[in-house]
């Protein structure tokens, strides 16, 4: 699954997130659902790690300053997987 994330990250560096993904398009529906679950789990984990490493409350909001690169990468990956799931449902 980590190689999928690496391939997806490489693709997102050169392609707009709204474009269909060659990486995700090659997955079966079952594998896409597994990727969705994995990316969501990793995204949540990085948020927890980032909050634990370096965060503070500012005006009633938690500002996470740790793991920024990983958080942004997984956020983009999550939205890409979510868009691919939505594309498949609409067909």
């Amino acid at each position: 699954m980590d190689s999928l994330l690496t391939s997806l990250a490489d693709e997102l560096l050169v392609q707009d997130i709204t474009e269909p993904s060659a990486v995700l398009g090659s997955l079966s529906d079952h594998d896409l659902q597994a990727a969705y679950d994995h990316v969501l789990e990793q995204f949540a984990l990085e948020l927890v790690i980032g909050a634990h490493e370096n965060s503070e409350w500012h005006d009633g909001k938690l500002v996470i300053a740790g793991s920024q690169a990983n958080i942004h990468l997984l956020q983009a990956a999550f939205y890409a997987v979510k868009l691919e799931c939505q594309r498949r449902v609409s067909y």
Side-chain angles (χ1 to χ4, degrees), residues 16-46:
D16 187 84
I17 195 169
T18 60
E19 296 295 318
S21 168
V23 172
L24 298 174
S26 66
L27 298 177
S28 68
D29 290 347
H30 175 75
D31 288 342
L32 182 62
Q33 182 61 49
Y36 179 89
D37 294 342
H38 180 73
V39 169
L40 184 58
E41 181 179 300
Q42 292 303 309
F43 185 30
L45 182 61
E46 287 299 333

